[in-house]
Amino acid sequence: MDFLRPSSWPEALAAKAEHPDALPIAGGTDVMVELNFDQRRPAVLLDLTGVRELAEWERVDGRVRLGAGVSYSRVIAELGDRLPGLAMASRTVGSPQIRNRGTVGGNLGSASPAGDAHPALLAADAEVEAASTTGSRRIPIDDFFTGVKRHALHADELIAAVWITPPSGPQQFSKIGTRNAMVIAVCAFGLALHPERRAVGTGIGSAAPTPIRAGAAERFLTEALDADGLWESRGDLPDALVHGFADRVRDAAAPIDDVRGSAAYRRHALSVMARRTLDWAWTDYQKAGA
Ligand SMILES: Cc1cc2nc3c(=O)[nH]c(=O)nc-3n(C[C@H](O)[C@H](O)[C@H](O)COP(=O)(O)OP(=O)(O)OC[C@H]3O[C@@H](n4cnc5c(N)ncnc54)[C@H](O)[C@@H]3O)c2cc1C
């Protein structure tokens, strides 16, 4: 196995162009497991940990450009106030060791339906910046996941960063596992309220072949909040509205039975998480306006 260790972003892109089958490695918390269990035997490993640009985040035109190599620990410590949904999701990942090594770019690279960053990125309408020696492009998060553990990157592309707009309203993340830490989600749910554009964002994890959005639930809640003037009044949400939202989140899922949980349990759990996260987020919204 060849091991390439570029020390700059242009070098990394040149290496990927020359070796399109090279397997990038960032924190290695997915890749090393796959190598150890002989699930992968790549001819070339492309170590990105020497590329300083990937480990940086910055504010650009009011948005956060989060380098693909920024770890979960840094998202929590440095961006908890700007990206609360992603920080909440990051707190549930693995253990301190995994959060120190594991990166949001690596979560996207694995594109697992159970990746914990994904529901938060969907709810926040993030964009993935992909780059190659021929240029870069932004992929809306909805178009990034193309199948089970498959994504929209071309063979010569690497993930440079994720673009996220800091929220104008509350965000929430909820995850169900068989214990409190070091657990792959049985299912997960991310919610973002966007009062400045009167919109609602959602993301569902571990309950479909890819991370997905609950589009009908988003539209239902957005229309109801508008129709009842609730964005302005910040009044209590009617029970029927909360349950209607939760039912639509549940119905958006396409889960399977597996060792972590049954499809029926996942559907039920999603409706509970949808109700709870909406309750928490709306209470935060009411408090912010008080
Ligand atoms: C004990 C343990 C617990 C875990 N718990 C959780 C959990 O709770 N929640 C969760 O979501 N995940 C969990 N994981 C999985 C893993 O930690 C995450 O998916 C993490 O985000 C991977 O990031 P990484 O930097 O380590 O990626 P790596 O392992 O380095 O790479 C992962 C994939 O992304 C690709 N990749 C990396 N960087 C780039 C890039 N810049 N461009 C293109 N492709 C790239 C790699 O080629 C590979 O396919 C756990 C793993 C372990 C071992």
Side-chain angles (χ1 to χ4, degrees):
M1 186 189 294
D2 286 331
F3 187 77
L4 306 177
R5 193 162 195 274
S7 56
S8 71
W9 185 231
E11 265 182 47
L13 294 178
K16 190 65 171 138
E18 197 182 333
H19 304 278
D21 59 344
L23 181 67
I25 178 167
T29 60
D30 278 326
V31 168
M32 290 312 298
V33 175
E34 290 171 352
L35 295 185
N36 287 342
F37 283 98
D38 220 9
Q39 289 161 354
R40 284 215 205 204
R41 227 7 88 186
V44 183
L45 261 188
L46 178 60
D47 178 7
L48 298 174
T49 54
V51 179
R52 238 197 27 241
E53 297 94 312
L54 286 182
E56 288 166 1
W57 66 265
E58 58 187 327
R59 274 199 83 133
V60 184
D61 298 332
R63 303 188 79 192
V64 172
R65 181 181 182 276
L66 180 71
V70 176
S71 69
Y72 295 110
S73 295
R74 287 189 50 207
V75 171
I76 296 164
E78 299 169 29
L79 290 163
D81 54 344
R82 293 180 180 87
L83 308 178
L86 185 61
M88 281 182 209
S90 300
R91 284 188 201 103
T92 75
V93 171
S95 60
Q97 296 90 333
I98 297 296
R99 293 193 287 274
N100 285 342
R101 292 293 307 174
T103 64
V104 176
N107 213 227
L108 286 165
S110 290
S112 161
D116 284 322
H118 310 327
L121 295 178
L122 279 160
D125 298 321
E127 290 179 310
V128 180
E129 181 185 331
S132 70
T133 50
T134 58
S136 71
R137 63 185 175 123
R138 302 238 194 119
I139 307 169
I141 190 73
D142 298 76
D143 300 335
F144 185 76
F145 306 106
T146 54
V148 180
K149 298 193 174 186
R150 301 182 70 83
H151 52 57
L153 289 185
H154 299 149
D156 63 345
E157 285 181 322
L158 292 170
I159 302 169
V162 188
W163 289 78
I164 312 163
T165 305
S168 64
Q171 299 188 336
Q172 282 292 339
F173 176 81
S174 183
K175 166 176 170 179
I176 290 191
T178 47
R179 56 185 180 191
N180 260 350
M182 291 288 276
V183 74
I184 303 176
V186 174
C187 53
F189 183 66
L191 173 69
L193 301 181
H194 305 292
E196 93 291 2
R197 55 187 167 95
R198 302 276 192 270
V200 173
T202 60
I204 293 176
S206 255
T210 65
I212 53 165
R213 171 187 296 284
E218 293 178 356
R219 289 188 292 279
F220 170 79
L221 184 56
T222 304
E223 284 165 19
L225 293 176
D226 263 339
D228 297 348
L230 285 160
W231 288 117
E232 294 81 15
S233 72
R234 299 181 195 238
D236 290 345
L237 297 181
D239 276 356
L241 179 55
V242 176
H243 283 274
F245 175 70
D247 289 350
R248 285 163 179 79
V249 169
R250 178 198 62 206
D251 294 346
I256 53 167
D257 295 320
D258 67 11
V259 287
R260 298 201 303 279
S262 67
Y265 176 73
R266 287 182 156 107
R267 282 201 187 89
H268 171 70
L270 274 169
S271 72
V272 174
M273 288 192 292
R275 252 189 1 247
R276 287 185 186 162
T277 52
L278 178 54
D279 186 33
W280 297 330
W282 194 256
T283 302
D284 286 346
Y285 183 59
Q286 289 178 315
K287 281 186 189 151

